[in-house]
């Protein structure tokens, strides 16, 4: 696609350009397409993410899945093997409401409602059915597991009462615990997480299993994606329980959840090393970096100089921290460029007269107020960046646009992916005290979706199904040199 340019050969700096870049990042991690591309069929073999399985010995393929885009992943697999003859295909995937995908031979079921990322009795029952489907499967079968973010709430065989597990998870979420902390606790309270599903396959079947994983965890620790059900953990049960207690203590929840806290301290026998671990394979097929890189390529195609550039102090945003800190970093970056105060190490590479795109990915954490409104990480981040820029009291000399959105299309309790703003909205907030006051209230009450619904700037969910954390884009304009 040719770059969109104005008459002075400068890319347009507006919300539509920012969303176009954001969408390009998300489309690069289309779950259905990623899985389809990971499968190939040769004359006598099936290749799954580089693993080769002899079709002369393969009679059955069982697809299982759990996660926000596992339905799309299953659809991609079914599409890739539709010409396969002599192999029976069946399966079960558990997805959240609104993330369904069409498969003819793999059953897709809804495990939880939209914007409620905790396990349900339905999830527990569907997990039981999935395990029953695996039980007794022979060595002429292949189990293909579709694993994606959100799977922690969509595959569950709890070791404690489900209501207690949910209550603790909700408390951690309200405290702003990052996903790694939440999953550390979940791994200690479940028999299917932390490699529990893989152990079940080894102990109750003779089949091989290959896990295809789309990561929503920065750093791509596969044992943390969906709490790692297909990844056999090197930790002992005791080590997992100690780690969970440390998380509970860190967030000062030991009194509120005393029963579970004490239960985690009980002595327990370690599980013996599993046999035939060679039957279990796992492959990462996409992550947040895949989306970030694609978004940067699109920005370059549109004529933007793409950050980060030079020293990491300019344009490198660590989005995996408290949302207030992340917002402050975005504002500081904007002020450096808008204020033409770029560090010397970038001299000659970036200037206030060059249209630039900065792209980052990750998941900020949000500590909720006592009675939060409607919103999520991305709505909160966008509102904070807008508010903090307005509090500087300086109207931008250069056009600016910002978008932050969840690649899975679910931003907390909102039904949108996130939010965006441009120079016009920033000027309105600067000039209108009532509007600025409304924005401040939205931030304090975690009710940012209502603000953007009222004043514009909500970002619709993407057209594709995926889940690789969040994606943020900031555009800052200026007149490029004429050629």
């Amino acid at each position: 696609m040719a770059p969109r340019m104005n008459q002075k050969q400068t890319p347009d700096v507006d919300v539509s350009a920012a969303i176009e870049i954001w969408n390009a990042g998300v489309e690069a991690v289309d779950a259905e397409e990623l899985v389809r591309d990971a499968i190939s069929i040769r004359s006598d073999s099936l290749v799954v993410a580089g693993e080769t399985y002899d079709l002369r010995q393969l009679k059955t393929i069982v697809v299982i899945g759990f996660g926000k885009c596992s339905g799309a992943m299953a659809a991609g697999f079914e599409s890739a093997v539709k010409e396969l003859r002599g192999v029976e295909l069946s399966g079960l995937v558990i997805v959240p409401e609104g993330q369904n995908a069409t498969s003819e031979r793999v059953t897709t079921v809804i495990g939880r409602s939209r914007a409620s990322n905790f396990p349900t009795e339905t999830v527990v029952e569907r997990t039981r059915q999935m395990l029953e489907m695996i039980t007794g499967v022979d060595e002429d079968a292949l189990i293909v597991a579709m694993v994606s973010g959100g799977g922690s709430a969509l595959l569950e065989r709890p070791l404690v009462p489900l209501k207690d597990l949910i209550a603790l998870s909700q408390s951690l979420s309200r405290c702003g615990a990052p996903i790694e902390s939440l999953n550390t606790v979940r791994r200690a309270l479940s028999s299917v997480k932390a490699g529990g599903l893989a152990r079940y396959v080894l102990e109750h079947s003779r089949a091989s299993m290959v896990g295809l994983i789309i990561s929503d965890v920065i750093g791509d620790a596969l044992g943390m994606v969906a709490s790692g059900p297909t990844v056999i953990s090197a930790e002992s049960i005791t080590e997992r329980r100690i780690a969970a207690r440390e998380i509970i203590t860190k967030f000062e929840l030991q009194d509120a959840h005393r029963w579970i806290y004490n239960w985690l301290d009980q002595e327990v026998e370690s599980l013996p090393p599993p046999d035939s671990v060679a039957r279990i394979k796992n492959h990462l097929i996409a992550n947040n970096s895949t989306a970030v890189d694609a978004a940067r390529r699109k920005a370059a195609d549109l004529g933007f100089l793409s950050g980060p550039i030079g020293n990491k102090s300019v344009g490198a945003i660590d989005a995996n921290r408290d949302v207030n800190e992340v917002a402050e970093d975005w504002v500081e970056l904007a002020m450096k460029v808008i204020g033409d105060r770029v560090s010397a190490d970038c001299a000659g590479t970036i200037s206030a007269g060059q249209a630039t795109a900065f792209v980052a990915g990750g998941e900020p954490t949000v500590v909720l107020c006592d009675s939060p409104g409607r919103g999520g990480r991305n709505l909160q981040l966008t509102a904070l960046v807008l508010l903090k820029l307005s509090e500087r009291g300086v109207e931008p000399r250069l056009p600016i646009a910002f978008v932050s959105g969840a690649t899975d299309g679910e931003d907390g309790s909102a039904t949108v992916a996130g939010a965006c703003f441009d120079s016009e909205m920033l000027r309105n907030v600067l000039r209108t005290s009532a509007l600025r006051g409304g924005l401040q209230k939205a931030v304090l009450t975690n009710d940012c979706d209502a603000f953007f619904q009222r004043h514009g700037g909500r970002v619709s969910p993407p057209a594709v199904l995926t889940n690789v954390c969040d994606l943020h884009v900031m555009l800052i304009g200026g007149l490029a040199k004429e050629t």
Side-chain angles (χ1 to χ4, degrees):
M1 178 178 178
R4 302 183 311 141
M5 298 284 187
N6 64 23
Q7 291 182 346
K8 292 184 177 292
Q9 301 297 303
T10 303
D12 296 329
V13 176
D14 53 27
V15 161
S16 63
I19 291 178
E20 185 175 354
I21 292 168
W22 184 84
N23 274 323
V26 177
E27 288 167 5
V29 285
D30 178 347
E32 185 169 344
E33 186 173 333
L34 285 168
V35 172
R36 190 163 51 237
D37 291 346
I39 310 301
S40 62
I41 300 172
R42 299 172 185 165
S43 58
D44 58 356
S45 61
L46 171 67
V47 181
V48 182
E51 301 291 340
T52 302
Y53 299 94
D54 191 342
L55 287 174
R56 294 167 297 183
Q57 300 176 14
L58 190 61
K59 303 299 181 186
T60 305
I61 297 175
V62 180
V63 175
I64 59 175
F66 30 86
K68 291 183 177 179
C69 55
S70 59
M73 295 173 76
F77 184 85
E78 187 171 305
S79 173
V81 301
K82 63 184 177 182
E83 303 299 328
L84 204 57
R85 299 291 179 262
V87 178
E88 180 184 353
L89 176 65
S90 63
L92 175 66
V93 296
I94 311 170
V95 300
E97 180 185 11
Q99 299 282 353
N100 208 346
T102 302
S103 298
E104 294 181 6
R105 291 177 285 176
V106 179
T107 302
T108 303
V109 297
I110 305 298
R112 66 164 176 83
S113 61
R114 187 189 299 269
S116 177
N117 197 20
F118 304 102
T120 63
E121 293 288 355
T122 299
V123 166
V124 174
E125 172 58 21
R126 294 300 190 179
T127 300
R128 185 196 64 77
Q129 293 174 3
M130 188 178 290
L131 296 178
E132 195 173 81
M133 185 180 293
I134 292 169
T135 303
V137 174
D138 213 338
E139 61 186 3
D140 60 359
L142 174 64
I143 300 169
V144 185
M146 307 298 177
V147 186
S148 67
S152 292
L154 293 164
L155 184 79
E156 191 54 86
R157 198 185 191 191
L159 295 170
V160 298
L162 181 63
K163 63 180 179 61
D164 294 327
L165 187 156
I166 294 171
L168 177 55
S169 299
Q170 290 173 331
S171 293
L172 286 165
S173 294
R174 283 194 295 269
C175 290
I179 188 64
E180 292 82 2
S181 296
L182 188 55
N183 284 357
T184 294
V185 174
R186 286 164 160 169
R187 285 160 57 88
L189 302 178
S190 173
S191 67
V192 288
K193 294 176 171 58
L197 177 63
R199 281 183 174 272
Y200 191 94
V201 169
L202 294 176
E203 294 169 3
H204 295 87
S205 82
R206 299 174 66 188
S208 295
M209 180 170 73
V210 57
L212 302 181
I213 301 175
I214 295 178
S215 172
D216 69 333
V217 175
I218 299 299
D220 304 319
L222 299 188
M224 280 295 173
V225 182
S227 298
T230 64
V231 181
I232 294 177
S233 176
E235 297 173 302
S236 67
I237 295 176
T238 299
E239 288 171 332
R240 286 202 294 273
R241 291 188 174 194
I242 290 172
R245 279 170 58 89
E246 289 175 351
I247 295 296
I248 294 170
T249 302
K250 176 182 177 181
F251 290 96
E252 300 181 349
L253 295 172
Q254 61 270 35
D255 292 331
H257 299 276
R258 178 62 62 180
W259 182 86
I260 287 184
Y261 188 74
N262 290 339
W263 180 87
L264 287 166
D265 198 33
Q266 295 176 9
E267 290 188 13
V268 62
E269 292 184 12
S270 294
L271 294 172
D275 296 328
S276 305
V277 291
R279 286 198 275 139
I280 307 296
K281 305 290 184 182
N282 286 285
H283 294 277
L284 177 71
I285 61 173
N287 59 10
N288 185 257
S289 294
T290 312
V292 169
D293 291 345
R296 287 176 178 160
R297 288 194 298 271
K298 170 56 74 172
D301 288 345
L302 294 177
F304 289 93
L305 185 65
S306 183
I309 301 158
N311 188 285
K312 285 189 176 181
S313 64
V314 178
I317 301 292
D318 178 6
N320 298 289
R321 295 174 296 141
D322 180 83
V323 68
N324 293 280
E325 297 175 3
V326 179
E328 190 64 35
D329 279 0
W330 277 115
V331 171
E332 287 299 321
L333 171 62
M335 295 306 294
K336 282 180 180 178
V337 179
I338 291 173
D340 197 16
R341 291 184 282 107
V342 181
S343 56
D345 61 284
C346 292
T349 308
I350 180 174
S351 72
Q354 234 170 335
T356 308
F358 297 97
V359 183
E363 285 192 359
T365 55
V366 179
V367 178
L368 298 177
C369 65
D370 291 337
S371 300
R374 193 175 64 249
R377 297 182 304 268
N378 295 281
L379 287 152
Q380 189 82 9
L381 176 62
T382 306
L384 276 165
V385 174
L386 178 58
L387 179 61
K388 288 175 180 290
L389 278 172
S390 71
E391 289 174 343
R392 298 297 177 107
V394 179
E395 292 197 14
R397 297 192 301 108
L398 302 172
I400 186 170
F402 182 79
V403 58
S404 178
T407 57
D408 61 13
E410 280 190 340
D411 194 32
S413 59
T415 58
V416 294
C420 59
F421 69 84
D422 58 10
S423 300
E424 182 179 358
M425 182 177 282
L426 176 56
R427 289 191 188 95
N428 289 339
V429 172
L430 274 163
R431 297 172 180 176
T432 311
S433 58
L435 184 59
R436 188 163 58 255
L439 181 59
Q440 291 170 334
K441 182 179 179 181
V443 166
L444 290 172
T445 58
N446 306 123
D447 196 29
C448 298
D449 187 41
F451 175 86
F452 286 107
Q453 185 175 27
R454 187 177 304 116
H455 301 289
R458 298 166 95 211
V459 176
S460 300
V464 302
L465 295 180
T466 191
N467 183 19
V468 293
C469 302
D470 304 333
L471 191 61
H472 320 134
V473 179
M474 178 176 278
L475 306 181
I476 299 176
L479 294 181
K481 294 179 180 179
E482 297 187 31
T483 58

